[in-house]
Amino acid sequence: MSDYRIHGATGEWEVVIGLEVHAQVTSNAKLFSGAATAFGAEPNAQVSLVDAAMPGMLPVPNMECIRQAVRTGLAINAQINKWSRFDRKNYFYADLPQGYQISQLYHPIVGEGEIEIQLDDKDPESTKTIGIERIHVEQDAGKLMHDQHPTMSYVDLNRSGVALMEIVSRPDMRSPAEAGAYLSKLRTILRYVGSCDGNMDQGSMRADVNVSVRRPGEPFGTRTETKNVNSVRFVMAVVEQEAKRQVAVIEDGGTVVQETRLYDPDRNETRSMRSKEDAHDYRYFPDPDLLPLELTDDFVAECKASLPELPDAKRHRYETALGLSAYDAGQLTLEVETYQQFEEMLESVARESGAPERDVAKRVANWILSERPGVLRAAGVAVTDPRNTVAANTALIVAVSKGVISGGKAKEIFQQYLTSDIDLAETIASNQQTTDTGAIEAAVDAILAANADKVEQYKGGKEALFGFFVGQTMKAMQGKGNPQLVNQVLKDKLG
Amino acid sequence: MSVDTATVAKIASLARIKVSEAELEAMVPELNGILAWVEQLGEVNVDGIEPMTAVIPNKQRLRDDVVNADPLTGGDIRDKVLANAPAAEHGFFGVPKVIE
């Protein structure tokens, strides 16, 4: 249970949130035509006669878009409706030359499902199940530009007709954090499934945020819908601002009006779109150009078989089969790229070091989550840099795990390798740490002799100086001394 | 079911069709005549009968996810698409400024 409350002048208020997420379906061609969907093309280059609504053109559904919607439904354990139908949502606006959007109001392709969210990434018990009411497939609209000409708006129909999934949640969320966690989790699932690229800055995912407030335990209040919110952070801000606004309205003796609002990130506030009442009279009716969509059991079974291991299952496996902490498992499974790198590197490190994956998983996880990011940052290269190969990472991790070089040396060599043209295998070999006790003892003796004053201080109780001796010895040995042995020898000599 | 002048005026406005007062007056009885005629279907008992979606057994065909497979329904035809536009500039359709 969320205990998030708005503290009003008259007491505490609970927030109720539902999200409608529009996710652009990953496909080559549009939902009902053969025009391309790629982002960033020249205006109106990806518009067919179907998308431009020329007379006589008929829509034919793209099988891949249907398949992706079904796969998404299966990924959230939803009911798949083998019989669904397209309806016309009628409205007149320049972004949609048909005069109606082809959507699925009455018989959506996917019915009820659910998503589990985790509210604290360090606490695997802090979960909550958010219900999904439905997913339906519909057309996206074109894009209007109002600032390019003094008296005209410019219309680009490239996006018009691209397939969208509208994923409608139940009003199950109770705080900005829950709404944010839900949207993040949904994005992760879509990216695992591959049904949406999840690029929120390119508009591939946009959320309509439904918010209402009530006294805890009382019936739902009147909700508002804030449209087209395009980041997790903004969704959380909308919930917070809109809930506060509604509480203020009610406590001032007013009533919340059910309406559509817009979020202004610059001012961090929502404002009414003040549309005309009848703008929402969509006069839905079944699209006579399209027969009902009937899916076979085989088709659904194929969709199911094509699903990858999903985030929750993967996280669970990382914890149980690989012995990783809940936190590491959560971090590694958050993004598709991260788990792919992890699994590739894990497989490679296990093979190269001849150890079971479970034995090297923690080392690989640490490298990816905490050690490598710092090196990449220091070297000023992206994770996608061509030199950041699985083979190079593996060589370093294996060298550390076999005791050839220390962890610190590995990071140092990796940074050199990323920024210059060194041969990795040679560099590792020439930096091999020594386990030659004689050499270590000689180095320690020299350091102790050169720092007689500090040895006195240490013996007098200043134990923090131990680290200084370790550092000096390692430095004298150019980082090649085996750290455990250096520690041991120092302890013996100083003891 | 029947419609009055206000309803017809509203539907016309939603569809952005300009209808004069005189046309509205004439249209109301015409539309009501059509509605009454269709309403006769309500006299038939259809309990337990599946709605028919096509007169011949037919399934919705789906297209493969291939870009521009058929030139008639593919893109890359900007000139054609813009050919009938009253205003087209820089590859865009130009429409009277519409800001809500």
Side-chain angles (χ1 to χ4, degrees):
Chain A
M1 277 302 278
S2 165
D3 47 12
Y4 180 84
R5 296 285 183 272
I6 301 286
H7 304 283
T10 61
E12 298 205 325
W13 298 83
E14 185 181 38
V15 188
V16 176
I17 309 139
L19 293 186
E20 294 166 27
V21 175
H22 290 88
Q24 201 178 93
V25 177
T26 301
S27 64
N28 299 318
K30 293 185 179 181
L31 179 55
F32 294 115
S33 83
T37 59
F39 181 79
E42 286 290 299
N44 293 309
Q46 296 174 169
V47 180
S48 72
L49 299 175
V50 181
D51 311 316
M54 291 297 167
M57 302 309 292
L58 284 175
V60 180
N62 180 336
M63 188 185 305
E64 179 63 11
C65 301
I66 305 303
R67 191 175 153 269
Q68 293 288 33
V70 171
R71 293 175 75 241
T72 306
L74 291 167
I76 58 160
N77 289 317
Q79 172 203 335
I80 303 302
N81 294 325
K82 286 184 200 137
W83 192 97
S84 65
R85 197 183 67 192
F86 290 103
D87 303 301
R88 288 186 180 180
K89 177 182 182 177
N90 297 281
Y91 72 90
F92 194 92
Y93 199 58
D95 62 2
L96 191 68
Q98 282 167 166
Y100 55 85
Q101 177 193 34
I102 306 179
S103 181
Q104 296 189 304
L105 176 67
Y106 300 106
H107 299 279
I109 188 163
V110 176
E112 285 186 45
E114 60 188 37
I115 286 181
E116 190 174 86
I117 57 171
Q118 189 174 328
L119 295 165
D120 176 355
D121 55 10
K122 290 196 172 61
D123 175 13
E125 303 296 317
S126 65
T127 59
K128 178 172 178 177
T129 301
I130 306 297
I132 306 281
E133 194 174 298
R134 58 188 281 158
I135 301 178
H136 63 258
V137 176
E138 62 186 23
Q139 296 176 299
D140 206 346
K143 214 167 65 186
L144 266 71
M145 297 164 76
H146 302 295
D147 53 0
Q148 304 291 308
H149 190 280
T151 59
M152 282 197 292
S153 292
Y154 283 161
V155 188
D156 174 8
L157 296 180
N158 280 348
R159 210 178 56 191
S160 178
V162 169
L164 295 178
M165 292 180 281
E166 182 169 332
I167 303 158
V168 184
S169 86
R170 295 221 167 265
D172 286 350
M173 289 155 271
R174 296 289 179 270
S175 70
E178 289 185 9
Y182 167 79
L183 186 58
S184 304
K185 185 63 177 283
L186 176 60
R187 177 175 176 275
T188 302
I189 292 173
L190 295 176
R191 298 196 69 233
Y192 268 61
V193 170
S195 57
C196 170
D197 65 23
N199 289 335
M200 300 188 88
D201 50 350
Q202 291 179 2
S204 296
M205 271 181 91
R206 325 190 278 271
D208 296 345
V209 186
N210 289 281
V211 176
S212 64
V213 296
R214 64 175 176 184
R215 296 290 188 191
E218 293 204 343
F220 289 155
T222 304
R223 70 187 159 88
T224 62
E225 179 181 17
T226 304
K227 289 271 195 194
N228 277 331
V229 185
N230 64 359
S231 80
V232 171
R233 195 161 57 86
F234 288 166
V235 164
M236 293 170 70
V238 164
V239 172
E240 193 181 338
Q241 297 311 319
E242 184 54 19
K244 280 185 188 160
R245 186 193 68 86
Q246 292 183 10
V247 166
V249 167
I250 298 168
E251 292 190 333
D252 276 356
T255 47
V256 175
V257 183
Q258 181 166 350
E259 63 177 354
T260 307
R261 300 178 70 84
L262 273 181
Y263 177 63
D264 180 344
D266 296 330
R267 296 181 175 189
N268 189 27
E269 63 179 28
T270 67
R271 59 166 183 268
S272 175
M273 285 175 75
R274 280 185 265 273
S275 319
K276 273 177 277 173
E277 285 280 306
D278 55 23
H280 293 293
D281 189 347
Y282 292 127
R283 295 149 295 143
Y284 278 97
F285 62 87
D287 192 319
D289 286 345
L290 289 155
L291 285 161
L293 193 58
E294 293 176 69
L295 308 177
T296 63
D297 290 335
D298 284 351
F299 180 81
V300 177
E302 278 165 30
C303 288
K304 181 141 204 159
S306 76
L307 287 180
E309 182 181 37
L310 293 164
D312 290 345
K314 196 179 277 297
R315 203 181 61 220
H316 183 69
R317 179 169 66 82
Y318 283 6
E319 286 179 52
T320 53
L322 297 178
L324 294 178
S325 69
Y327 179 78
D328 283 355
Q331 292 298 305
L332 288 170
T333 52
L334 218 49
E335 291 287 341
V336 172
E337 290 79 4
T338 314
Y339 89 67
Q340 283 175 344
Q341 278 174 31
F342 171 71
E343 291 186 1
E344 223 180 322
M345 218 178 281
L346 180 63
E347 195 269 326
S348 158
V349 167
R351 190 180 58 235
E352 295 299 319
S353 57
E357 290 193 347
R358 191 186 167 90
D359 291 358
V360 292
K362 177 71 185 159
R363 199 178 281 281
V364 176
N366 281 348
W367 178 255
I368 290 183
L369 294 176
S370 48
E371 289 166 34
R372 191 180 64 172
V375 180
L376 293 174
R377 220 175 303 124
V381 303
V383 71
T384 50
D385 191 273
R387 280 178 80 76
N388 182 26
T389 59
V390 172
N393 283 273
T394 301
L396 288 160
I397 298 171
V398 171
V400 174
S401 78
K402 285 189 170 163
V404 177
I405 50 173
S406 65
K409 197 77 197 172
K411 289 200 275 187
E412 199 183 308
I413 295 175
F414 191 44
Q415 187 171 340
Q416 281 175 33
Y417 165 79
L418 289 173
T419 49
S420 63
D421 202 22
I422 61 166
D423 182 289
L424 194 59
E426 257 175 38
T427 314
I428 290 173
S430 67
N431 279 282
Q432 179 155 11
Q433 64 187 5
T434 181
T435 49
D436 175 351
T437 328
I440 294 175
E441 280 181 354
V444 168
D445 286 342
I447 294 299
L448 296 184
N451 296 283
D453 53 332
K454 295 214 166 60
V455 173
E456 282 311 309
Q457 291 174 24
Y458 177 82
K459 288 185 170 159
K462 211 172 168 194
E463 290 184 7
L465 279 168
F466 191 77
F468 166 80
F469 296 124
V470 173
Q472 290 297 308
T473 309
M474 290 300 274
K475 197 172 160 194
M477 299 187 74
Q478 287 143 7
K480 292 182 199 169
N482 176 300
Q484 283 83 33
L485 283 174
V486 169
N487 271 292
Q488 192 53 52
V489 169
L490 269 168
K491 259 183 204 146
D492 293 347
K493 301 239 175 216
L494 288 166
Chain B
M1 186 188 177
S2 65
V3 292
D4 56 16
T5 315
T7 308
V8 176
K10 185 184 168 191
I11 296 167
S13 126
L14 285 172
R16 303 296 190 274
I17 296 172
K18 192 174 179 180
V19 182
S20 69
E21 282 296 321
E23 285 171 315
L24 266 186
E25 291 307 321
M27 214 175 272
V28 170
E30 278 176 24
L31 284 172
N32 279 330
I34 294 169
L35 286 170
W37 185 73
V38 174
E39 225 156 52
Q40 290 178 68
L41 290 172
E43 294 164 16
V44 184
N45 183 353
V46 290
D47 288 351
I49 297 175
E50 289 280 306
M52 187 177 72
T53 49
V55 287
I56 47 169
N58 209 348
K59 283 222 156 96
Q60 177 65 52
R61 291 174 58 176
L62 304 177
R63 66 164 65 235
D64 289 332
D65 186 29
V66 178
V67 172
N68 301 347
D70 176 351
L72 279 178
T73 57
D76 285 335
I77 49 163
R78 180 158 83 182
D79 292 346
K80 276 190 182 172
V81 163
L82 293 175
N84 296 322
E89 291 186 14
H90 315 295
F92 293 95
F93 291 92
V95 299
K97 199 158 264 219
V98 275
I99 299 187
E100 285 202 28

